Amino acid sequence: MSGTILPTPATKAGREGLDALLARPGKALIGLDFDGTLAPIVADPEKARAHLGAVPALAALAPKVAAVAVITGRPAEVAVRNGGFAGVPGLEHLVVLGHYGAERWDARSGELSAPEPHPGVAAVRAELPGLVEGSGTWVEDKGRAVAVHTRRAADPQAAFEALREPLTDLAARHGLIVEPGRMVLELRPPGMDKGVALSEFAREIGAESVLYGGDDLGDLPAYSAVDALRAAGTPGLLVCSGSDEVTELRERADLVVDGPEGVVRLLAALANRID
């Protein structure tokens, strides 16, 4: 991908964000979702793996910027394993913020830090089987959250809509919230989202520009965080890993690329452009 051309954002704010990133890359934060952004969406989330070009592109880009943060609802160690991020030369500036920032894995040290799980997750885990029985859905236990996937149901969208209210009620009874996504409803503790994780990490490293790339409804808080940073004077670029399933991000993005393949091309183009 050495000849990849760097695309031009469609908005003035996006162009200013890209210009700031290129002008001072050593002060730039690259924030990226995992599933649907670095990794193609698959029917079985356990089989999701980063695009083959993702790690080489990240390894080329990460040493040239302040940091790369993979921000995901998955456990950090799962994202590290499925992404193939551990022990890769060039990824010393990469961190994985798992469970929407509740967990953190640092590539430089290989260390994982995480708080105790919310007690409501265990309660929800015990009640879920009876609630979703016969729906054709699949329950993913994330340790600090539980996700109900409807992609395998006979009618995925109908199953998604039918389960949304009862799962919201179940979550509320145990002090959790429901995070909707691409044919998935995740029950997780409140208080952390990708926007909070992105904002706090940007503040921690003193980022002077921020790029965030995502594909799903769970990435909207990160988009809002970039909007808030831009309003406060920190340039930002919003990238959408485009799909036919979710249009909200496409409508808000400064730059839309063609799924994980397009994201990898963008990362490679940035690495090539930065001296």
Side-chain angles (χ1 to χ4, degrees):
M1 293 189 181
S2 59
T4 300
I5 298 173
L6 188 62
T8 301
T11 66
K12 181 175 182 291
R15 291 190 292 273
E16 291 174 348
L18 179 58
D19 288 345
L21 190 162
L22 294 174
R24 298 195 69 186
K27 291 291 186 177
L29 167 59
I30 309 295
L32 300 163
D33 169 47
F34 185 73
D35 292 279
T37 301
L38 288 175
I41 294 292
V42 293
D44 184 351
E46 293 183 354
K47 297 180 180 179
R49 296 294 184 271
H51 184 283
L52 288 176
V55 168
L58 288 171
L61 178 60
K64 301 179 179 183
V65 298
V68 174
V70 176
I71 308 176
T72 175
R74 286 180 179 269
E77 62 182 357
V78 173
V80 171
R81 181 184 70 238
N82 291 5
F85 301 138
V88 177
L91 289 189
E92 291 81 8
H93 288 191
L94 181 138
V95 300
V96 175
L97 303 177
H99 281 305
Y100 304 93
E103 296 182 347
R104 176 168 170 169
W105 177 84
D106 191 313
R108 189 181 299 277
S109 65
E111 293 181 355
L112 174 69
S113 59
E116 289 297 316
H118 189 290
V121 175
V124 161
R125 185 183 294 119
E127 292 187 40
L128 259 182
L131 187 61
V132 303
E133 185 177 4
S135 63
T137 59
W138 178 73
V139 176
E140 179 187 7
D141 189 343
K142 295 185 173 185
R144 299 176 189 277
V146 184
V148 179
H149 295 265
T150 67
R151 192 174 295 276
R152 299 180 187 176
D155 187 335
Q157 187 61 43
F160 180 94
E161 296 300 336
L163 286 171
R164 190 164 188 165
E165 183 174 347
L167 289 182
T168 299
D169 291 342
L170 174 63
R173 290 203 311 273
H174 297 291
L176 306 181
I177 62 172
V178 170
E179 182 77 45
R182 292 170 67 176
M183 300 304 137
V184 60
L185 293 157
E186 182 172 308
L187 292 76
R188 64 176 179 83
M192 287 298 293
D193 59 37
K194 292 181 181 180
V196 173
L198 181 67
S199 297
E200 290 186 350
F201 190 64
R203 187 180 308 112
E204 175 187 329
I205 68 171
E208 295 182 4
S209 65
V210 178
L211 177 155
Y212 184 79
D215 76 306
D216 204 350
L217 297 175
D219 296 302
L220 288 174
Y223 269 38
S224 295
V226 173
D227 285 339
L229 287 167
R230 293 200 284 208
T234 300
L237 174 60
L238 295 171
V239 177
C240 173
S241 174
S243 75
D244 295 329
E245 291 183 338
V246 177
T247 60
E248 286 89 341
L249 267 71
R250 181 186 295 270
E251 294 165 359
R252 288 184 58 180
D254 304 307
L255 177 64
V256 180
V257 298
D258 187 17
E261 173 72 22
V263 171
V264 168
R265 289 185 179 278
L266 173 62
L267 298 175
L270 284 171
N272 289 337
R273 183 72 172 269
I274 298 171
D275 294 331

